Amino acid sequence: MRQPVSTISPELLQEWVCSAGEPDYRSQQILQWIHQSRAKGWVEMSNIPSKIQERLILEFTFSTLILQRKQGNAGMTQKFLWRLKDDQFVESVLIPASTSLYGETSDRFTLCVSTQVGCAYGCKFCASGLNGFKRNLEPAEIVDQVLSVERMQRGEGDRVITNLVIMGMGEPLANYTNLMHALNILNAKWSANIGARKITISTSGLAPQIRKLAKEPQQYRLAISLHGATDRVREQIMPINKKHPLSQLINAVEEYQSLKNGMVTLEYILIADLNDSPEQALALANIAERLRAKVNLIPYNEVDEFKWKRPTQTAQDAFIQNLEKFGAPTTLRREKGHDIDAACGQLRLRNEKELDAQRV
Ligand code: SF4
């Protein structure tokens, strides 16, 4: 079976090159084409002899992803729907600097990356979990989301993706081993060279895996999908809260915070008449203070299959004012992509509905 070229290590590639009777430097050239020059295919590798290109084609896959659909234009939020080898679909989202997720200026782009096909955690506001869990993504399917988008942006000049958020489809920490493998590659100088501090891993609250992540040598940022500041509210929309209630989650994040210092964000999707009360604002501010975390508010993007509504502008403003009054550092992420199925999993859901309709 062919192996993905995007996740082969420099050492193994060098062994392969030597076994093909080629000089050592050939492996550097191949890595350069894949990870730095953003080659769009084997034939672009002009300094690689054709007999080696032919062997590469026989033994390696160039990419594990095929672009099924793209929404949005350059300079705006863009969504990519990828078809995988088993005809499953996942999404990535490219977010320009002007909509930087945490209010920090970035001169380029953030890519939001998926880690699973579907999701087993069934949060009751999220399109990604609607059809359940299908499978974990392989390391190459995670790395290739970055490389594929980089290839498509090649005309822009230098590399464009400077930040990653591991927040697309799936629960990243439920695919821990493959995610760490992929991030080690994306973090490496010979690959995308994206610094660990530019990589945010988001979780719905898998407390044991947060503790494990705290012991990794890399200084990844951590984002917690909180979405409810008390167990009573959180349990209504996040079944994970029954297994790992807020007290457990907060203890695990405190441990992470003590080892990684200043690397935590609380994601809070603001949903009308569920979690937008002054009481929730106070409870959220207390958690943020305890964890020395920033709050990132996201007004809910409505999904047909769920009953929840986006709060009015007045209600959003009132919640922010309350958070500020209670001393919680807050940023508001106003999605720029309502017209492109902005909520995670919606593009895949729409694609699957269309494919089902064609089969009838
Ligand atoms: S919010 Fe995250 S953990 Fe919850 S169902 Fe969606 S993808 Fe899964």
Side-chain angles (χ1 to χ4, degrees):
M1 206 172 71
R2 292 191 300 162
Q3 61 171 314
V5 75
S6 58
T7 46
I8 190 166
S9 67
E11 297 75 23
L12 286 177
L13 188 59
Q14 191 163 355
E15 273 179 33
W16 183 88
V17 158
C18 290
S19 72
E22 286 292 305
D24 281 2
Y25 64 79
R26 202 66 83 204
S27 63
Q28 295 299 324
Q29 290 174 326
I30 296 168
L31 285 176
Q32 170 81 25
W33 279 112
I34 298 292
H35 295 277
Q36 310 297 330
S37 305
R38 297 173 279 167
K40 293 187 177 174
W42 302 111
V43 288
E44 269 191 28
M45 300 182 178
S46 52
N47 56 0
I48 307 295
S50 55
K51 67 174 179 106
I52 297 300
Q53 283 187 22
E54 284 160 19
R55 282 198 61 174
L56 284 165
I57 292 168
L58 284 177
E59 296 186 37
F60 295 94
T61 48
F62 189 77
S63 178
T64 54
L65 310 177
I66 295 170
L67 184 67
Q68 173 80 4
R69 190 179 279 210
K70 175 175 171 293
Q71 291 185 326
N73 298 315
M76 300 164 53
T77 300
Q78 297 174 67
K79 271 203 152 187
F80 305 88
L81 184 71
W82 309 108
R83 182 194 286 266
L84 310 177
K85 62 186 175 211
D86 53 356
D87 289 336
Q88 301 286 348
F89 296 94
V90 291
E91 298 175 14
S92 316
V93 185
L94 187 65
I95 304 153
S98 57
T99 49
S100 176
L101 288 181
Y102 301 116
E104 295 168 1
T105 50
S106 156
D107 56 349
R108 297 280 167 77
F109 287 84
T110 296
L111 188 73
C112 180
V113 170
S114 293
T115 51
Q116 297 183 311
V117 182
C119 183
Y121 288 83
C123 300
K124 295 187 181 0
F125 53 85
C126 171
S128 292
L130 269 173
N131 290 340
F133 172 72
K134 299 280 195 291
R135 69 172 174 87
N136 282 329
L137 292 191
E138 298 293 328
E141 291 169 328
I142 298 171
V143 171
D144 283 346
Q145 291 175 58
V146 178
L147 294 185
S148 300
V149 172
E150 281 284 359
R151 279 179 202 126
M152 290 162 66
Q153 308 287 324
R154 199 173 62 173
E156 309 281 327
D158 295 337
R159 305 191 71 90
V160 294
I161 299 169
T162 52
N163 295 59
L164 293 181
V165 286
I166 316 301
M167 197 185 281
M169 183 180 295
E171 164 51 62
L173 296 186
N175 187 14
Y176 193 92
T177 306
N178 288 353
L179 175 64
M180 288 304 119
H181 183 165
L183 291 185
N184 281 339
I185 290 171
L186 292 166
N187 185 224
K189 289 206 166 37
W190 53 268
S191 179
N193 195 18
I194 300 173
R197 286 170 180 271
K198 305 267 182 190
I199 298 174
T200 301
I201 300 174
S202 173
T203 176
S204 59
L206 274 62
Q209 281 85 343
I210 291 171
R211 291 200 161 90
K212 195 169 167 187
L213 188 66
K215 297 189 174 74
E216 296 288 342
Q218 289 85 0
Q219 299 276 317
Y220 296 123
R221 288 174 182 266
L222 181 68
I224 304 297
S225 296
L226 201 68
H227 312 324
T230 55
D231 285 326
R232 184 186 60 77
V233 169
R234 197 166 189 260
E235 268 171 28
Q236 289 181 56
I237 48 172
M238 300 189 73
I240 182 78
N241 199 74
K242 288 209 166 71
K243 188 165 184 196
H244 301 298
L246 276 172
S247 55
Q248 267 187 37
L249 173 59
I250 290 168
N251 285 343
V253 178
E254 267 185 329
E255 196 172 314
Y256 191 91
Q257 184 67 293
S258 70
L259 291 167
K260 305 292 184 190
N261 200 20
M263 313 289 283
V264 175
T265 303
L266 302 176
E267 301 285 336
Y268 197 91
I269 293 179
L270 204 54
I271 302 175
D273 302 324
L274 176 77
N275 63 4
D276 60 347
S277 65
E279 294 75 27
Q280 284 290 298
L282 176 58
L284 176 56
N286 286 339
I287 294 172
E289 185 182 9
R290 183 168 159 193
L291 295 176
R292 290 174 286 123
K294 291 183 291 185
V295 176
N296 191 28
L297 281 183
I298 310 124
Y300 183 56
N301 278 302
E302 291 172 21
V303 177
D304 290 346
E305 284 77 359
F306 298 115
K307 63 181 179 180
W308 308 114
K309 298 284 175 220
R310 187 183 182 95
T312 62
Q313 191 61 56
T314 312
Q316 292 175 34
D317 292 343
F319 194 83
I320 294 168
Q321 278 167 16
N322 275 324
L323 276 180
E324 283 168 356
K325 187 173 79 189
F326 301 134
T330 304
T331 54
L332 178 71
R333 172 154 47 113
R334 290 198 199 283
E335 302 276 4
K336 283 198 171 177
H338 282 288
D339 52 338
I340 60 163
D341 300 323
C344 179
Q346 278 193 330
L347 182 56
R348 168 178 171 260
L349 201 62
R350 205 176 93 197
N351 188 66
E352 291 194 343
K353 281 179 187 167
E354 286 172 10
L355 289 176
D356 284 347
Q358 285 165 18
R359 285 185 203 113
V360 173

